[in-house]
Amino acid sequence: MAGIYLHIPFCKQACYYCDFHFSTSLKRKEELIVCMVKELELRKEELNNEIIETIYFGGGTPSLLSTKEITLLLDTIYQNYQVIEQPEITLEANPDDLSEEKILELAESPVNRLSIGVQSFFEEDLKSMNRAHNAEEAKNCLSLATRYFDNITIDLIYGVPNMTNERWKENLQIAFDFGISHISSYALTVEPKTVLDTFVKNGKYPKPDEVEAKAHFDILMEETAKNGFVHYEISNFGKPDYFSKHNTSYWLGKRYIGIGPSAHSFNKTHRSWNISNNAKYIKTLELGNLPNEIEELTEEDRFNEYLMTGLRTIWGVSLDKINPIFRESLLASSKKFIEQGLLTIEEDTLKTTSKGKFLADGLASELFIV
């Protein structure tokens, strides 16, 4: 089984914290969609006839696409790839795009899962992030979307300066009250070359506090557990049967191809990524060429990638799947973290403990084989 990711590189406006590839100009949207169709056709042999089980529209803001454009991309996939009978088809959306008319159109399309970028239910937070929607739109869109979609996930950001523990709890409670079955939640991070990075450096915005973020993360784990969610990946919480199948395939090392500017692909032995420039992406495909670079993964690369993804999930890192030499090295280097209560070995599987979850990425990097 494999997946297809479609990167839609357009947004109405730039969120201050975002470092993904996107453009706020929609002038070349139609051309770019045509080129994404062409890329899908050119790469149809790449997955060696593996069956597609998940399709994910990410971005950017995929909810800026018309239903016709979504249908064109899906039709191209069905015409060129083998797809299971009921694939998970996710569309990322912003609350301000989800009018009742838009939701009805999506409900009648093959899209069966919405990922809604709420980020916060409080006006102050949304303004500080430069989000295109307001708090009322966030609540209104969920009221509508939950009538027509059973499978909905929302994004929430924690560790926002001036967000008290009480306000963070209220954010979570509002999500629970809507009956949401999946939450993806991330700490506010200052990425290089973002507007937020400039604001922090110029003293216009306070630097996020890691102690506050850790407190919010602990609340997140506690409150989601109380409400029946499984913390199956560091940033992802789902009720049983509502885990993201697409993202889970990444963490379990399944093959996937990424279509569109800046999209990444993985086939177990190689990783590739498309150029992060809309104009160059279009020009390259118009000439009949693929706009990507390819990297062959060494055995060390594959081990490190498995370690990074595995420690973030409830499935952990199976010691049986590792080269014996790497296993010996891993057991030796992880010993101190096991003694500190950050890692544990259960049934021959290395996992993070509750205490170690917040530090998962750092722990993995400490255990990498270089």
Side-chain angles (χ1 to χ4, degrees), residues 2-7 39-40 42-47 52 81 246 249-250 253-276 281 290-297 302 305:
I4 295 178
Y5 172 81
L6 302 154
H7 188 77
E39 186 185 358
L40 280 165
L42 288 172
R43 299 179 69 183
K44 64 183 179 182
E45 306 298 336
E46 203 168 302
L47 292 173
I52 303 301
Y81 300 81
H246 185 83
S249 72
Y250 292 163
K254 295 185 181 182
R255 291 181 176 85
Y256 61 90
I257 58 171
I259 303 295
S262 82
H264 284 236
S265 304
F266 172 76
N267 72 353
K268 296 184 181 286
T269 60
H270 293 77
R271 184 189 295 113
S272 67
W273 55 95
N274 286 348
I275 191 167
S276 297
Y281 173 85
L290 290 175
N292 63 4
E293 292 184 50
I294 301 173
E295 175 190 11
E296 183 175 358
L297 299 173
R302 295 197 294 273
E305 190 152 316

Side-chain angles (χ1 to χ4, degrees), residues 138-200:
K139 294 174 184 177
N140 286 343
C141 90
L142 287 177
S143 294
L144 291 167
T146 49
R147 293 183 205 168
Y148 300 99
F149 283 87
D150 171 59
N151 199 349
I152 294 175
T153 178
I154 67 169
D155 288 349
L156 291 174
I157 292 180
Y158 60 88
V160 178
N162 303 315
M163 180 190 281
T164 63
N165 290 349
E166 289 68 30
R167 191 160 84 199
W168 175 232
K169 285 182 181 179
E170 192 171 344
N171 259 317
L172 291 170
Q173 190 58 52
I174 292 170
F176 301 148
D177 290 344
F178 274 109
I180 299 301
S181 298
H182 190 283
I183 295 172
S184 294
S185 192
Y186 311 90
L188 181 66
T189 305
V190 182
E191 300 291 354
K193 299 181 181 179
T194 58
V195 176
L196 181 59
D197 183 36
T198 301
F199 284 173
V200 170

Side-chain angles (χ1 to χ4, degrees), residues 26 116 122 138 154 237 275 335:
L26 306 183
I116 304 176
F122 290 90
I154 67 169
F237 305 77
I275 191 167
K335 186 176 180 181

